Amino acid sequence: MECGNTFTVTKDDGQTVECSVLFTFESADSGKTYVVFTDESRDEMGNTMVYANILGKHNSLEPIETDEEWNVVEGILNQLEREARNGGFDGLDEDEVARLLEDRINVAPEPEPDPEPYALEDLNRDVDALNAFIRQLEAEMGEGGE
């Protein structure tokens, strides 16, 4: 797995946003490949925004539409968040973290840039879902005393 691959999303207003792939994984349950990425934007709390989509045909980004699929993605993100909180990545460089992640999730090939623009309404829907997920994570972290 190589971290740092980038792709560009074109919004309806013509503005382009560069996104960095954090990781990809394949779910044995759904048989689909998921891509988790960021555009380096921050929410009102200063947290980096993270997004996830299904990696479709021709490496297109497709929306995650079912609660079951979101549960898979959230499970992976929760696992990684716990690992980071418990110091599992301390002292490791980016390549070492990538190798460690490969041991924990079934990593799929990195996506190639999508030749077609990603629709703004899809991005907005995904942003809303991820914001809700991040709020949930923050609430859980707050309950743990951190």
Side-chain angles (χ1 to χ4, degrees):
M1 175 177 69
E2 293 179 22
C3 295
N5 288 341
T6 62
F7 60 94
T8 302
V9 174
T10 304
K11 297 181 177 184
D12 287 340
D13 65 3
Q15 178 186 4
T16 59
V17 178
E18 187 168 307
C19 299
S20 298
V21 175
L22 299 174
F23 62 92
T24 61
F25 68 95
E26 186 173 324
S27 168
D29 293 334
S30 70
K32 296 178 183 176
T33 300
Y34 300 86
V35 59
V36 179
F37 59 97
T38 182
D39 62 2
E40 301 298 332
S41 63
R42 303 282 177 159
D43 67 11
E44 62 278 351
M45 302 287 290
N47 300 306
T48 301
M49 300 296 292
V50 175
Y51 310 95
N53 283 91
I54 297 168
L55 189 59
K57 293 180 183 178
H58 309 293
N59 291 323
S60 63
L61 295 177
E62 299 174 3
I64 298 172
E65 296 179 338
T66 68
D67 289 340
E68 293 80 14
E69 289 178 303
W70 273 118
N71 289 338
V72 169
V73 173
E74 288 174 0
I76 295 290
L77 292 173
N78 286 337
Q79 177 183 353
L80 295 176
E81 187 268 332
R82 281 190 302 275
E83 189 80 26
R85 245 195 331 199
N86 293 329
F89 303 133
D90 290 352
L92 301 178
D93 66 25
E94 188 175 287
D95 291 334
E96 292 169 322
V97 170
R99 281 192 294 280
L100 187 63
L101 294 177
E102 285 177 354
D103 292 340
R104 288 167 172 71
I105 58 177
N106 181 16
V107 178
E110 297 294 336
E112 295 177 13
D114 185 0
E116 297 178 342
Y118 188 55
L120 181 58
E121 63 264 12
D122 292 335
L123 183 59
N124 287 337
R125 183 187 57 243
D126 293 343
V127 166
D128 291 342
L130 283 166
N131 282 334
F133 171 68
I134 289 168
R135 284 191 297 277
Q136 177 186 355
L137 281 178
E138 291 171 345
E140 290 173 6
M141 288 176 59
E143 293 171 8
E146 293 188 48

